[in-house]
Every structure is written in C-alpha cells, then in structure tokens.
C-alpha cells in the first residue's frame, strides 16, 4: 500500500488487518472509544466478510498505531471505523488510512462514501471536510451518552480538493 515518503521515513507501514490483530485492536478500541467501543466479536464478524469489507492497520516498529475499516455494498461505501492512537495523532496517519479506504471504495465502484461522526469530535470532522465530505444529516442523540451523530458524505464522482485519483 502506498504511503507518503514522509510517513515511510517515519517507519509507518500500512497493511490489511488480520484476525491475529484483533486482540491488539480491541485494546486500542476500548481506550479510544470508551463510551462506544465495539465488542471484540464485531471485528471478527467484520473480517469474516471480505467481499463487502476492507480493514487496514498502520504499524510502527511492529506495533499497531491506527486501524480503519470500510463496508462497501454498491453503490454506497461506509467508513465503519477509523482510529489513530493519541501518541501518533497529527502526523498524517489518519489521512493515510482514510485515503486507502476511499481508494478502496473507488475500486469497488461506490458512488458515495458515508460516515457517522460524533458532533463533539471536531478534529475528526475537520479531517473529513478536508477530504471533501459534507454533512448531510444529523441523528439526534445517536450515541449512548446522548451525543448527536453527524452523517457525512463524500461523492466520489464529483471532483474534490484532496482527491487522490
Ligand atoms: C480523527 C483521527 C482519526 C485523525 O487522525 P490523525 O492521524 O491525527 O489525522 P492526520 O494527522 O492525518 O490529520 C489530523 C491533523 O494533523 C495535521 N497533520 C497532518 N500531518 C501532519 C504532520 N506531519 N505534522 C503535523 N500535523 C500534521 C493535519 O493537517 C490535520 O489537521 P486538521 O485538524 O486541519 O485536519 C484521530 O484523531 C483519532 O483517531 N481520534 C480518536 C478516534 C476518533 O475520533 N475517530 C474518528 C471517529 S468518527
């Protein structure tokens, strides 16, 4: 998988997630999403459906520092999850894994990529806006703690700043 020279120099590598990664991913999941972590089994279920799913991990020195997953059922792709460990935020790793998911959505001929993001997560929202995502809906009190979800959409057939194709 292609990464920017800067990330390669920083020792970051990107590869497909495997079942063997799930215990480590689960530890990160519970740390990064204390309110709405996925149950461990959910990762196994997701990886068991490669015809409609693609999950990646980013590693530094053999440790997983980010993970992300896409579901694609034509014509819609959904970013199922994306996370970078705090110590490695702000280095472009989130952008790299998101780029890989969007490229995968294109390969699978999706027309749109959708995602849900917490209304109180401006950092993630900013990342998505930079990639051309636009807010299309709000799901009031969607999350367990009562926070709204913003639904954002990237139209793949529309030219955007930040496109990789
Ligand atoms: C949201 C999240 C995935 C972003 O990951 P990230 O690796 O920090 O993202 P990037 O580094 O690619 O981009 C983040 C910012 O760092 C900046 N940045 C990118 N490369 C950089 C570099 N080499 N040096 C300094 N800053 C850099 C970017 O400009 C970007 O700024 P922005 O705030 O204007 O978007 C990450 O913060 C995260 O996992 N948060 C917790 C979990 C979460 O909220 N997930 C999303 C659920 S919907």
């Amino acid at each position: 998988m292609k990464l920017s020279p800067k990330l390669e120099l920083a020792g970051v590598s990107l590869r497909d997630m495997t079942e063997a990664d799930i215990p480590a991913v689960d530890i990160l999941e519970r740390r990064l999403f204390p309110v709405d972590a996925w149950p461990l089994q959910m990762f196994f279920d997701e990886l068991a459906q490669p015809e409609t799913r693609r999950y990646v991990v980013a590693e530094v020195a053999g440790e997983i520092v980010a993970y992300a997953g896409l579901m694609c059922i034509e014509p819609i792709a959904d970013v199922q999850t994306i996370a970078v460990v705090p110590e490695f935020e702000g280095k472009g790793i989130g952008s790299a894994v998101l780029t890989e998911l969007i490229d995968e959505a294109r390969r699978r001929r999706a027309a749109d990529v959708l995602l849900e993001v917490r209304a109180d997560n401006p950092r993630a929202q900013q990342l998505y806006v930079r990639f051309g995502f636009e807010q299309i809906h709000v799901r009031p009190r969607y999350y367990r703690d009562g926070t709204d979800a913003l639904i954002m959409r990237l139209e793949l057939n529309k030219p955007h700043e930040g496109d990789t194709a």
Side-chain angles (χ1 to χ4, degrees), residues 49-91:
Q49 303 172 77
E51 62 292 342
T52 53
R53 303 294 198 278
R54 171 92 195 286
Y55 277 75
V56 296
V57 295
E59 284 181 314
V60 173
E63 297 283 327
I64 295 175
V65 298
Y67 58 95
L70 184 86
M71 169 172 79
C72 185
I73 299 173
E74 253 187 275
I76 308 286
D78 285 276
V79 175
Q80 303 282 76
T81 185
I82 177 166
V84 177
V85 303
E87 299 85 333
F88 285 88
E89 283 183 319
K91 297 178 189 302

Side-chain angles (χ1 to χ4, degrees), residues 28 30 58 65 78-79 93 107 126-127 130 132 136 146 158:
L28 298 179
R30 283 182 281 123
V65 298
D78 285 276
V79 175
I93 298 175
R107 283 192 288 272
Q126 241 177 350
L127 174 72
R130 218 162 14 88
I136 54 167
K158 215 167 112 179

